[in-house]
């Protein structure tokens, strides 16, 4: 919930009424520390100050209401190059639902396999099975025949 409330400070609705530089900096420090260098974290508040002054005056960016529209408008006006740290943060926030869904899918698959197979196999085999079950896209690249041939060649 904290992540979502901090993310909402970037909402352009009502002339950027919720825009809060301190909360946005906290968002970066708390939730995206690996995505920004220390120098970028220092520069971010300054870039945010310039950004808010600029977008409140810019005719195309004044009447936006969603983060998605803000990201699109930054790209269209080429301001994503000027405010590259803000653009990166917005893109990270927009990918959050996809990341969350992928993680949830993995945990759901792990729960199914662990519940059904826990007593029937050892930990290494269970872990290998989970990888194949979760990463189905990788699994589709291999055919059963190619795997059998690899095992036959190992035997010789």
């Amino acid at each position: 919930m904290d992540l979502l409330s901090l993310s909402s400070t970037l909402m352009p609705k009502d002339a950027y009424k919720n825009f809060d530089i301190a909360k946005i900096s906290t968002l970066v420090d708390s939730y995206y520390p690996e995505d920004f260098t220390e120098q970028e974290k220092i520069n971010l508040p300054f870039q945010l100050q310039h950004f808010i002054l600029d977008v409140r005056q810019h005719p195309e960016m004044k009447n936006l209401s969603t983060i998605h529209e803000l990201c699109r408008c930054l790209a269209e006006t080429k301001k994503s190059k000027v405010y590259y740290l803000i653009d990166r943060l917005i893109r990270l926030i927009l990918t959050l639902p996809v990341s969350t869904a992928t993680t949830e899918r993995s945990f759901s698959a792990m729960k199914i396999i662990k519940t059904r197979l826990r007593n029937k196999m050892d930990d290494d085999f269970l872990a290998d099975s989970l990888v194949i079950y979760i990463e189905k896209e990788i699994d589709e690249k291999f055919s059963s025949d190619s795997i059998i041939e690899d095992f036959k060649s190992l035997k010789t």
Side-chain angles (χ1 to χ4, degrees), residues 57-87:
Q57 302 299 320
H58 199 281
E60 291 179 39
M61 300 182 90
K62 270 200 274 193
N63 300 320
L64 302 176
S65 59
T66 65
I67 293 177
H68 173 264
E69 290 174 353
L70 176 59
C71 184
R72 183 181 41 78
C73 195
L74 280 172
E76 288 173 356
T77 59
K78 306 285 191 244
K79 290 196 179 283
S80 60
K81 293 185 185 343
V82 177
Y83 303 114
Y84 62 96
L85 296 174
I86 299 165
D87 182 62

PDB file of all heavy atoms in Angstrom, residues 57-87:
ATOM      1  N   GLN A  57       3.551  24.719 -16.825  1.00  0.00           N
ATOM      2  CA  GLN A  57       3.491  25.774 -17.848  1.00  0.00           C
ATOM      3  C   GLN A  57       3.262  25.217 -19.252  1.00  0.00           C
ATOM      4  O   GLN A  57       2.787  25.926 -20.120  1.00  0.00           O
ATOM      5  CB  GLN A  57       4.812  26.570 -17.845  1.00  0.00           C
ATOM      6  CG  GLN A  57       5.151  27.217 -16.523  1.00  0.00           C
ATOM      7  CD  GLN A  57       4.103  28.226 -16.081  1.00  0.00           C
ATOM      8  OE1 GLN A  57       3.579  28.975 -16.889  1.00  0.00           O
ATOM      9  NE2 GLN A  57       3.784  28.228 -14.798  1.00  0.00           N
ATOM     10  N   HIS A  58       3.609  23.965 -19.462  1.00  0.00           N
ATOM     11  CA  HIS A  58       3.551  23.356 -20.797  1.00  0.00           C
ATOM     12  C   HIS A  58       2.093  23.076 -21.176  1.00  0.00           C
ATOM     13  O   HIS A  58       1.380  22.377 -20.460  1.00  0.00           O
ATOM     14  CB  HIS A  58       4.367  22.065 -20.804  1.00  0.00           C
ATOM     15  CG  HIS A  58       4.740  21.599 -22.159  1.00  0.00           C
ATOM     16  ND1 HIS A  58       3.868  20.926 -22.978  1.00  0.00           N
ATOM     17  CD2 HIS A  58       5.899  21.723 -22.856  1.00  0.00           C
ATOM     18  CE1 HIS A  58       4.457  20.640 -24.108  1.00  0.00           C
ATOM     19  NE2 HIS A  58       5.698  21.119 -24.072  1.00  0.00           N
ATOM     20  N   PRO A  59       1.637  23.570 -22.335  1.00  0.00           N
ATOM     21  CA  PRO A  59       0.224  23.397 -22.712  1.00  0.00           C
ATOM     22  C   PRO A  59      -0.208  21.936 -22.900  1.00  0.00           C
ATOM     23  O   PRO A  59      -1.336  21.585 -22.574  1.00  0.00           O
ATOM     24  CB  PRO A  59       0.099  24.173 -24.030  1.00  0.00           C
ATOM     25  CG  PRO A  59       1.487  24.408 -24.511  1.00  0.00           C
ATOM     26  CD  PRO A  59       2.396  24.319 -23.328  1.00  0.00           C
ATOM     27  N   GLU A  60       0.681  21.090 -23.407  1.00  0.00           N
ATOM     28  CA  GLU A  60       0.314  19.689 -23.635  1.00  0.00           C
ATOM     29  C   GLU A  60       0.325  18.861 -22.356  1.00  0.00           C
ATOM     30  O   GLU A  60      -0.297  17.807 -22.294  1.00  0.00           O
ATOM     31  CB  GLU A  60       1.274  19.058 -24.648  1.00  0.00           C
ATOM     32  CG  GLU A  60       1.119  19.594 -26.046  1.00  0.00           C
ATOM     33  CD  GLU A  60       2.102  18.949 -27.003  1.00  0.00           C
ATOM     34  OE1 GLU A  60       2.349  17.733 -26.875  1.00  0.00           O
ATOM     35  OE2 GLU A  60       2.624  19.666 -27.869  1.00  0.00           O
ATOM     36  N   MET A  61       1.027  19.320 -21.344  1.00  0.00           N
ATOM     37  CA  MET A  61       1.184  18.517 -20.132  1.00  0.00           C
ATOM     38  C   MET A  61       0.340  19.008 -18.965  1.00  0.00           C
ATOM     39  O   MET A  61       0.292  18.368 -17.922  1.00  0.00           O
ATOM     40  CB  MET A  61       2.659  18.475 -19.736  1.00  0.00           C
ATOM     41  CG  MET A  61       3.524  17.864 -20.823  1.00  0.00           C
ATOM     42  SD  MET A  61       5.229  17.741 -20.366  1.00  0.00           S
ATOM     43  CE  MET A  61       5.227  16.126 -19.633  1.00  0.00           C
ATOM     44  N   LYS A  62      -0.343  20.127 -19.131  1.00  0.00           N
ATOM     45  CA  LYS A  62      -1.143  20.695 -18.045  1.00  0.00           C
ATOM     46  C   LYS A  62      -2.373  19.859 -17.714  1.00  0.00           C
ATOM     47  O   LYS A  62      -2.728  19.720 -16.558  1.00  0.00           O
ATOM     48  CB  LYS A  62      -1.615  22.107 -18.413  1.00  0.00           C
ATOM     49  CG  LYS A  62      -0.676  23.188 -18.014  1.00  0.00           C
ATOM     50  CD  LYS A  62      -1.379  24.522 -17.961  1.00  0.00           C
ATOM     51  CE  LYS A  62      -1.398  25.177 -19.310  1.00  0.00           C
ATOM     52  NZ  LYS A  62      -1.803  26.585 -19.236  1.00  0.00           N
ATOM     53  N   ASN A  63      -3.026  19.319 -18.720  1.00  0.00           N
ATOM     54  CA  ASN A  63      -4.338  18.693 -18.530  1.00  0.00           C
ATOM     55  C   ASN A  63      -4.300  17.170 -18.513  1.00  0.00           C
ATOM     56  O   ASN A  63      -5.292  16.531 -18.810  1.00  0.00           O
ATOM     57  CB  ASN A  63      -5.298  19.176 -19.619  1.00  0.00           C
ATOM     58  CG  ASN A  63      -5.477  20.678 -19.564  1.00  0.00           C
ATOM     59  OD1 ASN A  63      -5.569  21.241 -18.480  1.00  0.00           O
ATOM     60  ND2 ASN A  63      -5.489  21.319 -20.719  1.00  0.00           N
ATOM     61  N   LEU A  64      -3.188  16.590 -18.164  1.00  0.00           N
ATOM     62  CA  LEU A  64      -3.090  15.132 -18.091  1.00  0.00           C
ATOM     63  C   LEU A  64      -3.733  14.636 -16.797  1.00  0.00           C
ATOM     64  O   LEU A  64      -3.795  15.368 -15.809  1.00  0.00           O
ATOM     65  CB  LEU A  64      -1.627  14.703 -18.157  1.00  0.00           C
ATOM     66  CG  LEU A  64      -0.846  15.149 -19.399  1.00  0.00           C
ATOM     67  CD1 LEU A  64       0.610  14.743 -19.272  1.00  0.00           C
ATOM     68  CD2 LEU A  64      -1.460  14.574 -20.654  1.00  0.00           C
ATOM     69  N   SER A  65      -4.163  13.364 -16.801  1.00  0.00           N
ATOM     70  CA  SER A  65      -4.801  12.857 -15.578  1.00  0.00           C
ATOM     71  C   SER A  65      -4.237  11.520 -15.093  1.00  0.00           C
ATOM     72  O   SER A  65      -4.484  11.142 -13.954  1.00  0.00           O
ATOM     73  CB  SER A  65      -6.310  12.728 -15.783  1.00  0.00           C
ATOM     74  OG  SER A  65      -6.578  11.846 -16.843  1.00  0.00           O
ATOM     75  N   THR A  66      -3.490  10.808 -15.928  1.00  0.00           N
ATOM     76  CA  THR A  66      -2.953   9.511 -15.493  1.00  0.00           C
ATOM     77  C   THR A  66      -1.440   9.460 -15.701  1.00  0.00           C
ATOM     78  O   THR A  66      -0.889  10.222 -16.504  1.00  0.00           O
ATOM     79  CB  THR A  66      -3.589   8.338 -16.281  1.00  0.00           C
ATOM     80  OG1 THR A  66      -3.210   8.428 -17.640  1.00  0.00           O
ATOM     81  CG2 THR A  66      -5.107   8.332 -16.148  1.00  0.00           C
ATOM     82  N   ILE A  67      -0.815   8.547 -14.998  1.00  0.00           N
ATOM     83  CA  ILE A  67       0.627   8.364 -15.146  1.00  0.00           C
ATOM     84  C   ILE A  67       0.945   7.861 -16.554  1.00  0.00           C
ATOM     85  O   ILE A  67       1.952   8.236 -17.140  1.00  0.00           O
ATOM     86  CB  ILE A  67       1.171   7.418 -14.059  1.00  0.00           C
ATOM     87  CG1 ILE A  67       1.048   8.078 -12.691  1.00  0.00           C
ATOM     88  CG2 ILE A  67       2.621   7.042 -14.327  1.00  0.00           C
ATOM     89  CD1 ILE A  67       1.487   7.224 -11.527  1.00  0.00           C
ATOM     90  N   HIS A  68       0.068   7.035 -17.095  1.00  0.00           N
ATOM     91  CA  HIS A  68       0.252   6.527 -18.461  1.00  0.00           C
ATOM     92  C   HIS A  68       0.278   7.689 -19.452  1.00  0.00           C
ATOM     93  O   HIS A  68       1.133   7.737 -20.346  1.00  0.00           O
ATOM     94  CB  HIS A  68      -0.870   5.542 -18.807  1.00  0.00           C
ATOM     95  CG  HIS A  68      -0.843   5.102 -20.221  1.00  0.00           C
ATOM     96  ND1 HIS A  68      -1.622   5.700 -21.190  1.00  0.00           N
ATOM     97  CD2 HIS A  68      -0.127   4.154 -20.859  1.00  0.00           C
ATOM     98  CE1 HIS A  68      -1.385   5.131 -22.357  1.00  0.00           C
ATOM     99  NE2 HIS A  68      -0.489   4.190 -22.183  1.00  0.00           N
ATOM    100  N   GLU A  69      -0.655   8.618 -19.326  1.00  0.00           N
ATOM    101  CA  GLU A  69      -0.686   9.788 -20.216  1.00  0.00           C
ATOM    102  C   GLU A  69       0.572  10.632 -20.042  1.00  0.00           C
ATOM    103  O   GLU A  69       1.117  11.156 -21.016  1.00  0.00           O
ATOM    104  CB  GLU A  69      -1.915  10.647 -19.924  1.00  0.00           C
ATOM    105  CG  GLU A  69      -3.220  10.020 -20.340  1.00  0.00           C
ATOM    106  CD  GLU A  69      -4.417  10.836 -19.891  1.00  0.00           C
ATOM    107  OE1 GLU A  69      -4.248  11.827 -19.149  1.00  0.00           O
ATOM    108  OE2 GLU A  69      -5.542  10.469 -20.273  1.00  0.00           O
ATOM    109  N   LEU A  70       1.033  10.763 -18.806  1.00  0.00           N
ATOM    110  CA  LEU A  70       2.253  11.525 -18.534  1.00  0.00           C
ATOM    111  C   LEU A  70       3.451  10.881 -19.225  1.00  0.00           C
ATOM    112  O   LEU A  70       4.253  11.565 -19.865  1.00  0.00           O
ATOM    113  CB  LEU A  70       2.488  11.625 -17.028  1.00  0.00           C
ATOM    114  CG  LEU A  70       3.767  12.312 -16.575  1.00  0.00           C
ATOM    115  CD1 LEU A  70       3.839  13.746 -17.082  1.00  0.00           C
ATOM    116  CD2 LEU A  70       3.881  12.266 -15.063  1.00  0.00           C
ATOM    117  N   CYS A  71       3.573   9.582 -19.127  1.00  0.00           N
ATOM    118  CA  CYS A  71       4.680   8.865 -19.763  1.00  0.00           C
ATOM    119  C   CYS A  71       4.632   9.040 -21.277  1.00  0.00           C
ATOM    120  O   CYS A  71       5.652   9.319 -21.914  1.00  0.00           O
ATOM    121  CB  CYS A  71       4.620   7.381 -19.386  1.00  0.00           C
ATOM    122  SG  CYS A  71       5.989   6.415 -20.006  1.00  0.00           S
ATOM    123  N   ARG A  72       3.455   8.890 -21.856  1.00  0.00           N
ATOM    124  CA  ARG A  72       3.286   9.044 -23.296  1.00  0.00           C
ATOM    125  C   ARG A  72       3.638  10.466 -23.731  1.00  0.00           C
ATOM    126  O   ARG A  72       4.358  10.673 -24.713  1.00  0.00           O
ATOM    127  CB  ARG A  72       1.859   8.702 -23.699  1.00  0.00           C
ATOM    128  CG  ARG A  72       1.608   8.756 -25.191  1.00  0.00           C
ATOM    129  CD  ARG A  72       0.172   8.433 -25.580  1.00  0.00           C
ATOM    130  NE  ARG A  72      -0.843   8.993 -24.718  1.00  0.00           N
ATOM    131  CZ  ARG A  72      -1.249  10.273 -24.762  1.00  0.00           C
ATOM    132  NH1 ARG A  72      -0.694  11.109 -25.598  1.00  0.00           N
ATOM    133  NH2 ARG A  72      -2.200  10.703 -23.954  1.00  0.00           N
ATOM    134  N   CYS A  73       3.175  11.453 -22.975  1.00  0.00           N
ATOM    135  CA  CYS A  73       3.427  12.848 -23.319  1.00  0.00           C
ATOM    136  C   CYS A  73       4.918  13.205 -23.182  1.00  0.00           C
ATOM    137  O   CYS A  73       5.458  13.963 -23.987  1.00  0.00           O
ATOM    138  CB  CYS A  73       2.575  13.751 -22.435  1.00  0.00           C
ATOM    139  SG  CYS A  73       2.468  15.435 -23.047  1.00  0.00           S
ATOM    140  N   LEU A  74       5.569  12.655 -22.172  1.00  0.00           N
ATOM    141  CA  LEU A  74       7.015  12.863 -22.028  1.00  0.00           C
ATOM    142  C   LEU A  74       7.754  12.347 -23.259  1.00  0.00           C
ATOM    143  O   LEU A  74       8.688  12.989 -23.751  1.00  0.00           O
ATOM    144  CB  LEU A  74       7.548  12.164 -20.772  1.00  0.00           C
ATOM    145  CG  LEU A  74       7.345  12.863 -19.440  1.00  0.00           C
ATOM    146  CD1 LEU A  74       7.755  11.943 -18.296  1.00  0.00           C
ATOM    147  CD2 LEU A  74       8.117  14.161 -19.375  1.00  0.00           C
ATOM    148  N   ALA A  75       7.343  11.190 -23.749  1.00  0.00           N
ATOM    149  CA  ALA A  75       7.986  10.615 -24.929  1.00  0.00           C
ATOM    150  C   ALA A  75       7.686  11.435 -26.178  1.00  0.00           C
ATOM    151  O   ALA A  75       8.583  11.702 -26.977  1.00  0.00           O
ATOM    152  CB  ALA A  75       7.534   9.176 -25.115  1.00  0.00           C
ATOM    153  N   GLU A  76       6.437  11.858 -26.346  1.00  0.00           N
ATOM    154  CA  GLU A  76       6.042  12.604 -27.545  1.00  0.00           C
ATOM    155  C   GLU A  76       6.700  13.986 -27.615  1.00  0.00           C
ATOM    156  O   GLU A  76       7.043  14.457 -28.688  1.00  0.00           O
ATOM    157  CB  GLU A  76       4.518  12.760 -27.596  1.00  0.00           C
ATOM    158  CG  GLU A  76       3.799  11.475 -27.918  1.00  0.00           C
ATOM    159  CD  GLU A  76       2.285  11.600 -27.790  1.00  0.00           C
ATOM    160  OE1 GLU A  76       1.787  12.681 -27.376  1.00  0.00           O
ATOM    161  OE2 GLU A  76       1.604  10.611 -28.097  1.00  0.00           O
ATOM    162  N   THR A  77       6.856  14.625 -26.466  1.00  0.00           N
ATOM    163  CA  THR A  77       7.441  15.972 -26.440  1.00  0.00           C
ATOM    164  C   THR A  77       8.961  15.937 -26.303  1.00  0.00           C
ATOM    165  O   THR A  77       9.585  16.989 -26.216  1.00  0.00           O
ATOM    166  CB  THR A  77       6.855  16.789 -25.277  1.00  0.00           C
ATOM    167  OG1 THR A  77       7.128  16.121 -24.047  1.00  0.00           O
ATOM    168  CG2 THR A  77       5.368  17.018 -25.454  1.00  0.00           C
ATOM    169  N   LYS A  78       9.517  14.730 -26.243  1.00  0.00           N
ATOM    170  CA  LYS A  78      10.970  14.529 -26.094  1.00  0.00           C
ATOM    171  C   LYS A  78      11.498  15.037 -24.745  1.00  0.00           C
ATOM    172  O   LYS A  78      12.690  15.198 -24.565  1.00  0.00           O
ATOM    173  CB  LYS A  78      11.757  15.211 -27.228  1.00  0.00           C
ATOM    174  CG  LYS A  78      11.330  14.815 -28.617  1.00  0.00           C
ATOM    175  CD  LYS A  78      11.812  13.449 -28.978  1.00  0.00           C
ATOM    176  CE  LYS A  78      11.609  13.188 -30.457  1.00  0.00           C
ATOM    177  NZ  LYS A  78      10.700  12.125 -30.735  1.00  0.00           N
ATOM    178  N   LYS A  79      10.612  15.282 -23.801  1.00  0.00           N
ATOM    179  CA  LYS A  79      11.036  15.702 -22.469  1.00  0.00           C
ATOM    180  C   LYS A  79      11.557  14.519 -21.656  1.00  0.00           C
ATOM    181  O   LYS A  79      12.156  14.703 -20.610  1.00  0.00           O
ATOM    182  CB  LYS A  79       9.900  16.407 -21.734  1.00  0.00           C
ATOM    183  CG  LYS A  79       9.591  17.771 -22.329  1.00  0.00           C
ATOM    184  CD  LYS A  79       8.768  18.600 -21.397  1.00  0.00           C
ATOM    185  CE  LYS A  79       8.487  19.954 -21.992  1.00  0.00           C
ATOM    186  NZ  LYS A  79       9.611  20.854 -21.928  1.00  0.00           N
ATOM    187  N   SER A  80      11.357  13.317 -22.169  1.00  0.00           N
ATOM    188  CA  SER A  80      11.889  12.132 -21.490  1.00  0.00           C
ATOM    189  C   SER A  80      13.411  12.137 -21.507  1.00  0.00           C
ATOM    190  O   SER A  80      14.045  11.529 -20.655  1.00  0.00           O
ATOM    191  CB  SER A  80      11.347  10.857 -22.120  1.00  0.00           C
ATOM    192  OG  SER A  80      11.709  10.793 -23.479  1.00  0.00           O
ATOM    193  N   LYS A  81      13.990  12.832 -22.471  1.00  0.00           N
ATOM    194  CA  LYS A  81      15.456  12.953 -22.519  1.00  0.00           C
ATOM    195  C   LYS A  81      15.954  13.971 -21.497  1.00  0.00           C
ATOM    196  O   LYS A  81      17.011  13.803 -20.911  1.00  0.00           O
ATOM    197  CB  LYS A  81      15.897  13.343 -23.924  1.00  0.00           C
ATOM    198  CG  LYS A  81      15.653  12.262 -24.959  1.00  0.00           C
ATOM    199  CD  LYS A  81      16.220  12.679 -26.291  1.00  0.00           C
ATOM    200  CE  LYS A  81      15.960  11.791 -27.443  1.00  0.00           C
ATOM    201  NZ  LYS A  81      15.554  10.502 -27.373  1.00  0.00           N
ATOM    202  N   VAL A  82      15.185  15.025 -21.288  1.00  0.00           N
ATOM    203  CA  VAL A  82      15.548  16.058 -20.313  1.00  0.00           C
ATOM    204  C   VAL A  82      15.334  15.539 -18.898  1.00  0.00           C
ATOM    205  O   VAL A  82      16.192  15.682 -18.033  1.00  0.00           O
ATOM    206  CB  VAL A  82      14.712  17.341 -20.546  1.00  0.00           C
ATOM    207  CG1 VAL A  82      15.037  18.392 -19.491  1.00  0.00           C
ATOM    208  CG2 VAL A  82      14.926  17.881 -21.940  1.00  0.00           C
ATOM    209  N   TYR A  83      14.166  14.929 -18.683  1.00  0.00           N
ATOM    210  CA  TYR A  83      13.807  14.410 -17.361  1.00  0.00           C
ATOM    211  C   TYR A  83      13.936  12.888 -17.357  1.00  0.00           C
ATOM    212  O   TYR A  83      12.988  12.163 -17.087  1.00  0.00           O
ATOM    213  CB  TYR A  83      12.385  14.841 -17.009  1.00  0.00           C
ATOM    214  CG  TYR A  83      12.207  16.339 -17.049  1.00  0.00           C
ATOM    215  CD1 TYR A  83      11.388  16.941 -17.991  1.00  0.00           C
ATOM    216  CD2 TYR A  83      12.885  17.151 -16.153  1.00  0.00           C
ATOM    217  CE1 TYR A  83      11.229  18.316 -18.033  1.00  0.00           C
ATOM    218  CE2 TYR A  83      12.738  18.527 -16.185  1.00  0.00           C
ATOM    219  CZ  TYR A  83      11.914  19.095 -17.129  1.00  0.00           C
ATOM    220  OH  TYR A  83      11.777  20.453 -17.162  1.00  0.00           O
ATOM    221  N   TYR A  84      15.112  12.421 -17.666  1.00  0.00           N
ATOM    222  CA  TYR A  84      15.339  10.983 -17.836  1.00  0.00           C
ATOM    223  C   TYR A  84      15.148  10.196 -16.539  1.00  0.00           C
ATOM    224  O   TYR A  84      14.720   9.042 -16.576  1.00  0.00           O
ATOM    225  CB  TYR A  84      16.726  10.721 -18.428  1.00  0.00           C
ATOM    226  CG  TYR A  84      17.872  11.185 -17.561  1.00  0.00           C
ATOM    227  CD1 TYR A  84      18.521  10.311 -16.708  1.00  0.00           C
ATOM    228  CD2 TYR A  84      18.297  12.506 -17.596  1.00  0.00           C
ATOM    229  CE1 TYR A  84      19.566  10.733 -15.900  1.00  0.00           C
ATOM    230  CE2 TYR A  84      19.337  12.934 -16.798  1.00  0.00           C
ATOM    231  CZ  TYR A  84      19.970  12.045 -15.952  1.00  0.00           C
ATOM    232  OH  TYR A  84      20.987  12.472 -15.157  1.00  0.00           O
ATOM    233  N   LEU A  85      15.439  10.770 -15.399  1.00  0.00           N
ATOM    234  CA  LEU A  85      15.250  10.058 -14.130  1.00  0.00           C
ATOM    235  C   LEU A  85      13.763   9.889 -13.829  1.00  0.00           C
ATOM    236  O   LEU A  85      13.330   8.825 -13.374  1.00  0.00           O
ATOM    237  CB  LEU A  85      15.938  10.810 -12.986  1.00  0.00           C
ATOM    238  CG  LEU A  85      17.450  10.929 -13.076  1.00  0.00           C
ATOM    239  CD1 LEU A  85      17.990  11.812 -11.954  1.00  0.00           C
ATOM    240  CD2 LEU A  85      18.103   9.568 -13.041  1.00  0.00           C
ATOM    241  N   ILE A  86      12.999  10.913 -14.081  1.00  0.00           N
ATOM    242  CA  ILE A  86      11.557  10.850 -13.859  1.00  0.00           C
ATOM    243  C   ILE A  86      10.924   9.872 -14.843  1.00  0.00           C
ATOM    244  O   ILE A  86      10.061   9.073 -14.460  1.00  0.00           O
ATOM    245  CB  ILE A  86      10.936  12.255 -13.981  1.00  0.00           C
ATOM    246  CG1 ILE A  86      11.544  13.162 -12.910  1.00  0.00           C
ATOM    247  CG2 ILE A  86       9.426  12.211 -13.864  1.00  0.00           C
ATOM    248  CD1 ILE A  86      11.304  14.631 -13.118  1.00  0.00           C
ATOM    249  N   ASP A  87      11.370   9.910 -16.079  1.00  0.00           N
ATOM    250  CA  ASP A  87      10.866   8.969 -17.084  1.00  0.00           C
ATOM    251  C   ASP A  87      11.150   7.526 -16.662  1.00  0.00           C
ATOM    252  O   ASP A  87      10.281   6.661 -16.756  1.00  0.00           O
ATOM    253  CB  ASP A  87      11.508   9.271 -18.445  1.00  0.00           C
ATOM    254  CG  ASP A  87      10.987   8.364 -19.538  1.00  0.00           C
ATOM    255  OD1 ASP A  87       9.775   8.412 -19.813  1.00  0.00           O
ATOM    256  OD2 ASP A  87      11.799   7.612 -20.108  1.00  0.00           O
TER     257      ASP A  87
END
